[in-house]
Amino acid sequence: MMIKIKQYNEIPVDLGEILRYMNAENNAETVSIIEECLKELHSKLSYKVCYDQFAITLNGNLVDLGFTTIESDNLSNNLKDCQSVIIFAATIGIEIDRLIARYGRLSPVKALAFQAIGAERIESLCNEFNREMTLEQSGLGFYTRARFSPGYGDLELSYQKDIFRVLDCSRKIGLSLNDSLLMSPSKSVTAIIGVSNIEKNCTKKGCSSCEKRDCSFRRND
C-alpha cells in the first residue's frame, strides 16, 4: 500500500456557490464582503489530498475493502459493477478555522462569509481531485462513479475512523478526527470514488447522491 499525496496551489473560486452557502443574494454589498474575505485568505489556504486505491468485493449491502467491511445500501448501489475504489481525504488547512473564530467575535457577517468560502473551497478541491482521478482512470480504460462520503444516505459517519486509520491522515496531511467524529481542520472531507471497467451514466454527485433532505446547504438541482 502506497498512500499518495497531492498539493494544489490555487483553484478557481465559484462566487455563486459561496453566495448559496451564505443563503445571500448577489448584490454589491455582499460581493464586496466576500472579496474582502478572499483577499484576507490569499495564500493562507493549504490544499492537500491523501489517497490510495483498494480492491473491493460486493456482497449485497456489504462492501469489503480489505481493511474494513462497510454495511450500506446506498454505497453498495453507488459501487455496483466496481472492482476497486479510490479513498481520499482532503483539507484546506486550519487558517480558515482561525479566521472564522476571530470574526465570530468581531463581525458575524464576515464569519458567515468565511464559513461559506470554506465550504466552497473544500468542495472545489474535491471536484478538482475527482476530475483528475477520472482522467487518470480513463487513460487506463476505467470509469469512475460519483464520490460518496460518510454521512451521505445510510453510510454512517463512524466509518471515518477506518478511513483515517488506513490513510494515516494525521501524518500525511495534518488532518485529525476527534471522539465525536469531527474533523480538524473543519473544512475537510473524506470520500470514496468507485472505479469500474463498465461505463455508467452517473450524473449524481454531492447533494444529489445524498438522501439527507433537511440539510440547509442542499442544492435543488
Side-chain angles (χ1 to χ4, degrees):
M1 184 176 67
M2 181 67 70
I3 301 166
K4 306 171 190 68
I5 299 173
K6 277 184 175 286
Q7 291 187 258
Y8 300 80
N9 293 321
E10 290 296 328
I11 297 173
V13 172
D14 188 333
L15 177 61
E17 279 294 276
I18 295 173
L19 289 166
R20 185 179 71 82
Y21 282 118
M22 290 181 71
N23 194 26
E25 295 182 1
N26 188 347
N27 56 51
E29 182 180 2
T30 304
V31 171
S32 177
I33 291 170
I34 293 170
E35 288 176 345
E36 287 177 14
C37 292
L38 287 170
K39 184 176 181 180
E40 189 166 353
L41 262 179
H42 182 67
S43 76
K44 291 182 179 179
L45 297 182
S46 177
Y47 302 96
K48 294 180 180 180
V49 180
C50 63
Y51 65 103
D52 203 354
Q53 190 164 355
F54 303 85
I56 64 169
T57 302
L58 299 174
N59 183 13
N61 69 344
L62 299 178
V63 183
D64 186 349
L65 297 166
F67 62 90
T68 191
T69 298
I70 295 175
E71 183 177 359
S72 166
D73 291 326
N74 297 146
L75 180 62
S76 296
N77 183 61
N78 176 276
L79 298 179
K80 184 180 179 182
D81 298 321
C82 290
Q83 295 78 44
S84 66
V85 292
I86 296 166
I87 300 180
F88 74 92
T91 186
I92 61 171
I94 198 68
E95 287 302 320
I96 196 160
D97 287 344
R98 292 170 177 159
L99 286 168
I100 290 168
R102 177 188 176 195
Y103 281 102
R105 299 186 298 270
L106 300 176
S107 171
V109 173
K110 277 198 170 183
L112 175 63
F114 277 117
Q115 283 279 10
I117 290 168
E120 183 277 333
R121 291 288 72 201
I122 186 60
E123 185 73 7
S124 291
L125 172 58
C126 291
N127 287 342
E128 177 61 19
F129 175 76
N130 216 144
R131 184 189 68 81
E132 290 185 359
M133 292 299 100
T134 296
L135 288 174
E136 182 179 292
Q137 292 301 317
S138 177
L140 298 171
F142 293 96
Y143 306 91
T144 59
R145 300 286 187 260
R147 66 178 178 269
F148 208 94
S149 290
Y152 281 8
D154 66 350
L155 181 56
E156 295 181 5
L157 275 173
S158 58
Y159 290 112
Q160 297 269 45
K161 296 178 182 177
D162 297 311
I163 292 175
F164 269 72
R165 174 173 53 83
V166 77
L167 293 182
D168 196 11
C169 296
S170 180
R171 287 204 306 161
K172 297 299 182 182
I173 59 173
L175 179 59
S176 62
L177 186 72
N178 68 18
D179 292 338
S180 299
L181 303 178
L182 296 176
M183 290 184 281
S184 180
S186 68
K187 301 308 179 184
S188 305
V189 165
T190 62
I192 299 168
I193 302 171
V195 178
S196 176
N197 57 12
I198 298 175
E199 186 174 12
K200 180 181 180 182
N201 183 19
C202 185
T203 58
K204 285 188 176 183
K205 66 179 181 178
C207 296
S208 299
S209 63
C210 181
E211 294 186 349
K212 185 173 175 57
R213 306 294 176 182
D214 59 347
C215 176
S216 59
F217 291 136
R218 186 179 179 87
R219 296 183 184 86
N220 294 319
D221 50 17

